[in-house]
Tab-separated table of all heavy atoms in Angstrom:
chain	number	residue	atom	x	y	z
A	10	ALA	N	0.844	-1.205	0.000
A	10	ALA	CA	0.000	0.000	0.000
A	10	ALA	C	0.875	1.250	0.000
A	10	ALA	O	0.641	2.187	-0.776
A	10	ALA	CB	-0.934	-0.001	1.207
A	11	TYR	N	1.880	1.256	0.833
A	11	TYR	CA	2.773	2.420	0.927
A	11	TYR	C	3.529	2.635	-0.387
A	11	TYR	O	3.559	3.738	-0.920
A	11	TYR	CB	3.758	2.222	2.084
A	11	TYR	CG	4.790	3.319	2.157
A	11	TYR	CD1	4.456	4.574	2.656
A	11	TYR	CD2	6.089	3.088	1.707
A	11	TYR	CE1	5.405	5.587	2.698
A	11	TYR	CE2	7.032	4.098	1.748
A	11	TYR	CZ	6.689	5.344	2.241
A	11	TYR	OH	7.624	6.339	2.283
A	12	LYS	N	4.109	1.578	-0.928
A	12	LYS	CA	4.914	1.693	-2.144
A	12	LYS	C	4.098	2.140	-3.352
A	12	LYS	O	4.598	2.827	-4.228
A	12	LYS	CB	5.619	0.371	-2.462
A	12	LYS	CG	6.795	0.084	-1.550
A	12	LYS	CD	7.480	-1.197	-1.950
A	12	LYS	CE	8.712	-1.449	-1.149
A	12	LYS	NZ	9.855	-0.658	-1.543
A	13	LEU	N	2.822	1.717	-3.417
A	13	LEU	CA	1.990	2.070	-4.562
A	13	LEU	C	1.153	3.327	-4.334
A	13	LEU	O	0.291	3.654	-5.137
A	13	LEU	CB	1.091	0.895	-4.954
A	13	LEU	CG	1.831	-0.267	-5.609
A	13	LEU	CD1	0.894	-1.428	-5.874
A	13	LEU	CD2	2.501	0.162	-6.896
A	14	GLY	N	1.423	4.033	-3.238
A	14	GLY	CA	0.805	5.333	-3.033
A	14	GLY	C	-0.622	5.313	-2.534
A	14	GLY	O	-1.339	6.303	-2.661
A	15	TYR	N	-1.062	4.211	-1.939
A	15	TYR	CA	-2.395	4.182	-1.348
A	15	TYR	C	-2.357	4.934	-0.022
A	15	TYR	O	-1.363	4.871	0.702
A	15	TYR	CB	-2.865	2.741	-1.128
A	15	TYR	CG	-3.273	2.056	-2.405
A	15	TYR	CD1	-2.388	1.241	-3.096
A	15	TYR	CD2	-4.545	2.230	-2.920
A	15	TYR	CE1	-2.759	0.619	-4.278
A	15	TYR	CE2	-4.939	1.602	-4.098
A	15	TYR	CZ	-4.035	0.806	-4.771
A	15	TYR	OH	-4.413	0.192	-5.936
A	16	SER	N	-3.439	5.606	0.314
A	16	SER	CA	-3.487	6.385	1.555
A	16	SER	C	-3.509	5.482	2.789
A	16	SER	O	-3.108	5.896	3.867
A	16	SER	CB	-4.700	7.315	1.553
A	16	SER	OG	-5.891	6.567	1.387
A	17	SER	N	-3.971	4.239	2.606
A	17	SER	CA	-4.018	3.282	3.717
A	17	SER	C	-4.160	1.873	3.164
A	17	SER	O	-4.485	1.681	1.993
A	17	SER	CB	-5.216	3.586	4.630
A	17	SER	OG	-6.424	3.349	3.934
A	18	VAL	N	-3.950	0.897	4.040
A	18	VAL	CA	-4.152	-0.501	3.658
A	18	VAL	C	-5.632	-0.716	3.336
A	18	VAL	O	-5.967	-1.445	2.395
A	18	VAL	CB	-3.703	-1.457	4.795
A	18	VAL	CG1	-4.075	-2.896	4.478
A	18	VAL	CG2	-2.217	-1.341	5.030
A	19	GLN	N	-6.502	-0.059	4.086
A	19	GLN	CA	-7.938	-0.194	3.852
A	19	GLN	C	-8.314	0.301	2.460
A	19	GLN	O	-9.121	-0.320	1.769
A	19	GLN	CB	-8.733	0.567	4.931
A	19	GLN	CG	-10.214	0.305	4.873
A	19	GLN	CD	-10.548	-1.173	5.086
A	19	GLN	OE1	-10.023	-1.823	5.992
A	19	GLN	NE2	-11.418	-1.712	4.260
A	20	HIS	N	-7.715	1.412	2.039
A	20	HIS	CA	-7.979	1.952	0.696
A	20	HIS	C	-7.558	0.939	-0.366
A	20	HIS	O	-8.305	0.649	-1.297
A	20	HIS	CB	-7.241	3.282	0.521
A	20	HIS	CG	-7.490	3.940	-0.789
A	20	HIS	ND1	-6.546	4.698	-1.424
A	20	HIS	CD2	-8.561	3.943	-1.626
A	20	HIS	CE1	-7.023	5.138	-2.569
A	20	HIS	NE2	-8.237	4.693	-2.719
A	21	LEU	N	-6.370	0.378	-0.218
A	21	LEU	CA	-5.899	-0.646	-1.157
A	21	LEU	C	-6.856	-1.838	-1.139
A	21	LEU	O	-7.272	-2.322	-2.194
A	21	LEU	CB	-4.479	-1.096	-0.797
A	21	LEU	CG	-3.860	-2.153	-1.706
A	21	LEU	CD1	-2.351	-2.040	-1.682
A	21	LEU	CD2	-4.275	-3.549	-1.371
A	22	SER	N	-7.198	-2.302	0.043
A	22	SER	CA	-8.068	-3.483	0.176
A	22	SER	C	-9.417	-3.259	-0.489
A	22	SER	O	-9.927	-4.140	-1.193
A	22	SER	CB	-8.268	-3.832	1.655
A	22	SER	OG	-7.034	-4.186	2.243
A	23	ASN	N	-10.010	-2.090	-0.249
A	23	ASN	CA	-11.305	-1.778	-0.854
A	23	ASN	C	-11.210	-1.743	-2.381
A	23	ASN	O	-12.063	-2.291	-3.074
A	23	ASN	CB	-11.843	-0.439	-0.338
A	23	ASN	CG	-12.249	-0.505	1.114
A	23	ASN	OD1	-12.460	-1.579	1.683
A	23	ASN	ND2	-12.350	0.651	1.752
A	24	GLN	N	-10.174	-1.085	-2.890
A	24	GLN	CA	-10.001	-0.992	-4.343
A	24	GLN	C	-9.732	-2.367	-4.944
A	24	GLN	O	-10.259	-2.701	-6.008
A	24	GLN	CB	-8.834	-0.040	-4.652
A	24	GLN	CG	-9.027	0.747	-5.903
A	24	GLN	CD	-7.980	1.819	-6.046
A	24	GLN	OE1	-6.794	1.512	-6.149
A	24	GLN	NE2	-8.411	3.068	-6.065
A	25	PHE	N	-8.938	-3.159	-4.267
A	25	PHE	CA	-8.613	-4.499	-4.743
A	25	PHE	C	-9.872	-5.359	-4.826
A	25	PHE	O	-10.137	-5.992	-5.840
A	25	PHE	CB	-7.577	-5.150	-3.820
A	25	PHE	CG	-6.976	-6.403	-4.376
A	25	PHE	CD1	-5.869	-6.350	-5.198
A	25	PHE	CD2	-7.531	-7.646	-4.095
A	25	PHE	CE1	-5.311	-7.512	-5.732
A	25	PHE	CE2	-6.983	-8.806	-4.626
A	25	PHE	CZ	-5.868	-8.739	-5.444
A	26	LYS	N	-10.658	-5.360	-3.757
A	26	LYS	CA	-11.883	-6.181	-3.729
A	26	LYS	C	-12.880	-5.696	-4.776
A	26	LYS	O	-13.504	-6.505	-5.475
A	26	LYS	CB	-12.515	-6.146	-2.348
A	26	LYS	CG	-13.814	-6.926	-2.306
A	26	LYS	CD	-13.953	-7.724	-1.088
A	26	LYS	CE	-15.236	-8.529	-1.233
A	26	LYS	NZ	-15.331	-9.598	-0.370
A	27	LYS	N	-13.014	-4.385	-4.920
A	27	LYS	CA	-13.959	-3.831	-5.887
A	27	LYS	C	-13.602	-4.251	-7.315
A	27	LYS	O	-14.475	-4.527	-8.132
A	27	LYS	CB	-13.961	-2.308	-5.788
A	27	LYS	CG	-14.921	-1.636	-6.734
A	27	LYS	CD	-14.876	-0.127	-6.570
A	27	LYS	CE	-15.810	0.539	-7.559
A	27	LYS	NZ	-15.734	1.990	-7.489
A	28	ASN	N	-12.304	-4.334	-7.615
A	28	ASN	CA	-11.869	-4.622	-8.980
A	28	ASN	C	-11.603	-6.093	-9.268
A	28	ASN	O	-11.535	-6.487	-10.427
A	28	ASN	CB	-10.631	-3.790	-9.318
A	28	ASN	CG	-10.979	-2.342	-9.543
A	28	ASN	OD1	-11.510	-1.993	-10.584
A	28	ASN	ND2	-10.732	-1.495	-8.557
A	29	THR	N	-11.443	-6.906	-8.227
A	29	THR	CA	-11.163	-8.317	-8.463
A	29	THR	C	-12.258	-9.243	-7.940
A	29	THR	O	-12.317	-10.410	-8.327
A	29	THR	CB	-9.836	-8.747	-7.788
A	29	THR	OG1	-9.989	-8.641	-6.365
A	29	THR	CG2	-8.671	-7.931	-8.286
A	30	GLY	N	-13.078	-8.731	-7.013
A	30	GLY	CA	-14.122	-9.568	-6.418
A	30	GLY	C	-13.617	-10.435	-5.281
A	30	GLY	O	-14.346	-11.263	-4.753
A	31	MET	N	-12.342	-10.269	-4.912
A	31	MET	CA	-11.799	-11.043	-3.799
A	31	MET	C	-10.883	-10.159	-2.961
A	31	MET	O	-10.425	-9.127	-3.428
A	31	MET	CB	-11.053	-12.286	-4.291
A	31	MET	CG	-9.847	-12.011	-5.160
A	31	MET	SD	-8.922	-13.493	-5.651
A	31	MET	CE	-10.025	-14.249	-6.803
A	32	THR	N	-10.653	-10.584	-1.746
A	32	THR	CA	-9.739	-9.829	-0.898
A	32	THR	C	-8.301	-10.150	-1.299
A	32	THR	O	-8.042	-11.155	-1.974
A	32	THR	CB	-9.931	-10.184	0.590
A	32	THR	OG1	-9.522	-11.545	0.783
A	32	THR	CG2	-11.365	-9.982	1.039
A	33	ALA	N	-7.387	-9.315	-0.834
A	33	ALA	CA	-5.968	-9.554	-1.116
A	33	ALA	C	-5.524	-10.887	-0.503
A	33	ALA	O	-4.740	-11.621	-1.110
A	33	ALA	CB	-5.127	-8.398	-0.588
A	34	SER	N	-6.034	-11.195	0.670
A	34	SER	CA	-5.683	-12.473	1.325
A	34	SER	C	-6.177	-13.656	0.512
A	34	SER	O	-5.466	-14.649	0.348
A	34	SER	CB	-6.289	-12.535	2.727
A	34	SER	OG	-5.831	-11.473	3.504
A	35	GLN	N	-7.409	-13.564	0.019
A	35	GLN	CA	-7.945	-14.645	-0.824
A	35	GLN	C	-7.092	-14.797	-2.081
A	35	GLN	O	-6.781	-15.916	-2.488
A	35	GLN	CB	-9.389	-14.339	-1.232
A	35	GLN	CG	-10.396	-14.468	-0.137
A	35	GLN	CD	-11.765	-13.942	-0.560
A	35	GLN	OE1	-11.870	-12.945	-1.259
A	35	GLN	NE2	-12.813	-14.624	-0.123
A	36	PHE	N	-6.730	-13.679	-2.663
A	36	PHE	CA	-5.923	-13.726	-3.883
A	36	PHE	C	-4.578	-14.397	-3.613
A	36	PHE	O	-4.121	-15.224	-4.395
A	36	PHE	CB	-5.678	-12.321	-4.449
A	36	PHE	CG	-4.804	-12.332	-5.670
A	36	PHE	CD1	-5.341	-12.588	-6.922
A	36	PHE	CD2	-3.430	-12.136	-5.567
A	36	PHE	CE1	-4.540	-12.636	-8.041
A	36	PHE	CE2	-2.617	-12.180	-6.685
A	36	PHE	CZ	-3.177	-12.434	-7.926
A	37	ARG	N	-3.958	-14.049	-2.505
A	37	ARG	CA	-2.647	-14.611	-2.161
A	37	ARG	C	-2.727	-16.133	-2.029
A	37	ARG	O	-1.783	-16.843	-2.365
A	37	ARG	CB	-2.158	-13.974	-0.865
A	37	ARG	CG	-0.669	-14.029	-0.695
A	37	ARG	CD	-0.211	-13.244	0.498
A	37	ARG	NE	0.780	-12.256	0.045
A	37	ARG	CZ	1.161	-11.227	0.724
A	37	ARG	NH1	0.659	-10.974	1.907
A	37	ARG	NH2	2.065	-10.403	0.247
A	38	LYS	N	-3.868	-16.630	-1.579
A	38	LYS	CA	-4.050	-18.075	-1.392
A	38	LYS	C	-4.397	-18.811	-2.677
A	38	LYS	O	-4.188	-20.011	-2.780
A	38	LYS	CB	-5.139	-18.335	-0.349
A	38	LYS	CG	-4.735	-17.927	1.050
A	38	LYS	CD	-5.888	-18.093	2.014
A	38	LYS	CE	-5.532	-17.515	3.373
A	38	LYS	NZ	-6.669	-17.515	4.277
A	39	GLU	N	-4.981	-18.118	-3.646
A	39	GLU	CA	-5.385	-18.735	-4.907
A	39	GLU	C	-4.153	-19.091	-5.737
A	39	GLU	O	-3.512	-18.228	-6.297
A	39	GLU	CB	-6.276	-17.796	-5.722
A	39	GLU	CG	-7.629	-17.540	-5.127
A	39	GLU	CD	-8.572	-18.704	-5.293
A	39	GLU	OE1	-8.495	-19.410	-6.312
A	39	GLU	OE2	-9.388	-18.912	-4.382
A	40	SER	N	-3.834	-20.343	-5.824
A	40	SER	CA	-2.621	-20.736	-6.543
A	40	SER	C	-2.817	-20.832	-8.044
A	40	SER	O	-1.869	-20.746	-8.810
A	40	SER	CB	-2.099	-22.072	-6.009
A	40	SER	OG	-3.085	-23.067	-6.195
A	41	ASP	N	-4.059	-21.008	-8.482
A	41	ASP	CA	-4.262	-21.199	-9.918
A	41	ASP	C	-4.754	-19.932	-10.635
A	41	ASP	O	-5.070	-19.967	-11.809
A	41	ASP	CB	-5.242	-22.345	-10.176
A	41	ASP	CG	-6.600	-22.095	-9.536
A	41	ASP	OD1	-6.716	-21.150	-8.734
A	41	ASP	OD2	-7.533	-22.853	-9.848
A	42	TYR	N	-4.813	-18.806	-9.935
A	42	TYR	CA	-5.294	-17.568	-10.552
A	42	TYR	C	-4.216	-16.972	-11.450
A	42	TYR	O	-3.077	-16.825	-11.043
A	42	TYR	CB	-5.688	-16.544	-9.482
A	42	TYR	CG	-6.286	-15.306	-10.091
A	42	TYR	CD1	-7.633	-15.259	-10.435
A	42	TYR	CD2	-5.501	-14.205	-10.364
A	42	TYR	CE1	-8.171	-14.137	-11.008
A	42	TYR	CE2	-6.039	-13.069	-10.951
A	42	TYR	CZ	-7.366	-13.043	-11.258
A	42	TYR	OH	-7.894	-11.927	-11.852
A	43	LEU	N	-4.592	-16.675	-12.675
A	43	LEU	CA	-3.644	-16.062	-13.600
A	43	LEU	C	-3.846	-14.561	-13.626
A	43	LEU	O	-4.969	-14.082	-13.726
A	43	LEU	CB	-3.833	-16.624	-15.014
A	43	LEU	CG	-3.529	-18.091	-15.178
A	43	LEU	CD1	-3.892	-18.544	-16.583
A	43	LEU	CD2	-2.063	-18.366	-14.905
């Protein structure tokens, strides 16, 4: 979040979920996602 200029982890998380349909944690666990 800091490196990519997000104002907070929550801001990154919200944007990530809105655009991918999953949380960052879920994405990290998905081994077959391209």
Side-chain angles (χ1 to χ4, degrees):
Y11 175 76
K12 285 182 175 283
L13 288 176
Y15 285 96
S16 58
S17 66
V18 173
Q19 189 61 46
H20 182 213
L21 181 153
S22 297
N23 291 342
Q24 214 171 63
F25 192 87
K26 177 138 184 163
K27 181 180 178 184
N28 286 284
T29 65
M31 62 177 71
T32 67
S34 301
Q35 288 171 322
F36 178 83
R37 203 173 236 164
K38 291 175 187 173
E39 292 285 326
S40 60
D41 59 349
Y42 184 84
L43 295 174

